[in-house]
Amino acid sequence: MKKKPLIVGNWKMNLTLREGIEFARSLSERISENSNIICGICPPFVFLNDICKILKDSNIYVVAQNIHNEKSGAFTGEISALMVKEVGCTHVLIGHSERRQLFGEKDSFINAKIKMALSIGLKPILCIGETLKEREDGKTEYVIENQLRSGLNGIESDCIKDISIAYEPVWAIGTGRTASPEQANEVHSFVRGILSDEYGVNVSNSVYIQYGGSVKPENAKELMVKSEIDGLLVGGASIKLGSFLDIICNCVN
Ligand code: PEP
């Protein structure tokens, strides 16, 4: 049976605080009426405190865009899992391709962050995805399997229910080039198979696997109807309330 769609908007380094606050207020007015969807937003760190207060009694998750893998210490410029949890985040993106590509994050660091998040009750959304070259070289499954197994290395089966996976082909992020629903579903099914091998079919089926990469109102529905696509991680189209709401509407109707 299809799960309730999980639609998460990643604002990245966009919007002003005032715009973010307005967005959160309007979104909560619209979403609280809609129980057919699970929705989250990932504001920049410095907006989290205000936005968590606004969304405290709503059914919208506030998701941090990143965390460090240590609890505290001499890590100038970094933000800990405890800090984002303290202000009210329930979830965190880990291993986004921009972190991997632009900030050199490696699988072992990503794995350590996932363990840190879980240890304090913050739910990770593990992002994985292949580059265009890797896809063209026929290495998609190899890359996906490596990122998935390394990201989840040492994590016990009973914690897997708290983790979501976001398949985000790097070649589709911010490029306007979306994976076809069939391409996305194929990789999701491959991910589900690995989770099933590792943790059993019931655990595997319970895991949310979201697709991300140039999702727009026009393509949201055709992606969401695919059997293995449980949700969407939306970047560019999530920073305008209108297009984010259209995506949400198109996923439930
Ligand atoms: C993302 O950054 O997670 C993303 C999917 O971006 P976009 O929707 O802009 O491709």
Side-chain angles (χ1 to χ4, degrees), residues 10 12 96 98 168 172-174 212-215 233-236:
N10 176 13
K12 312 192 188 194
H96 189 279
E98 285 151 17
E168 299 205 299
I173 295 186
S214 296
V215 173
L233 180 53
V234 187

Side-chain angles (χ1 to χ4, degrees), residues 156-247:
E156 298 297 328
S157 179
D158 57 348
C159 291
I160 298 296
K161 64 173 185 342
D162 291 329
I163 301 178
S164 312
I165 309 295
Y167 168 56
E168 299 205 299
V170 179
W171 49 271
I173 295 186
T175 58
R177 188 176 163 185
T178 324
S180 69
E182 292 70 30
Q183 282 173 318
N185 203 51
E186 198 180 346
V187 177
H188 283 221
S189 174
F190 179 68
V191 168
R192 188 89 64 203
I194 295 170
L195 294 174
S196 181
D197 273 0
E198 216 34 60
Y199 304 103
V201 69
N202 289 341
V203 171
S204 167
N205 285 340
S206 72
V207 173
Y208 267 86
I209 308 179
Q210 297 170 257
Y211 168 79
S214 296
V215 173
K216 306 178 263 304
E218 302 76 49
N219 59 21
K221 186 163 188 156
E222 63 190 32
L223 287 158
M224 273 311 302
V225 293
K226 288 292 177 191
S227 60
E228 297 299 335
I229 301 184
D230 304 316
L232 302 170
L233 180 53
V234 187
S238 77
I239 58 177
K240 288 209 172 80
L241 183 64
S243 57
F244 192 51
L245 285 170
D246 285 347
I247 289 172

Side-chain angles (χ1 to χ4, degrees), residues 55-120:
L55 298 181
K56 194 159 76 65
D57 299 317
S58 77
N59 53 357
I60 301 168
Y61 299 156
V62 184
V63 183
Q65 293 181 16
N66 188 26
I67 47 166
H68 194 263
N69 68 315
E70 295 289 343
K71 258 197 179 125
S72 61
F75 301 100
T76 302
E78 291 295 319
I79 304 285
S80 76
L82 280 171
M83 290 169 185
V84 300
K85 174 109 189 285
E86 190 181 0
V87 296
C89 291
T90 51
H91 292 69
V92 56
L93 292 184
I94 295 188
H96 189 279
S97 69
E98 285 151 17
R99 301 296 320 167
R100 292 177 190 262
Q101 303 232 309
L102 305 175
F103 300 96
E105 292 196 3
K106 298 277 174 279
D107 286 322
S108 54
F109 188 41
I110 289 164
N111 175 246
K113 291 190 203 202
I114 292 194
K115 288 177 175 157
M116 172 51 66
L118 290 169
S119 76
I120 63 140

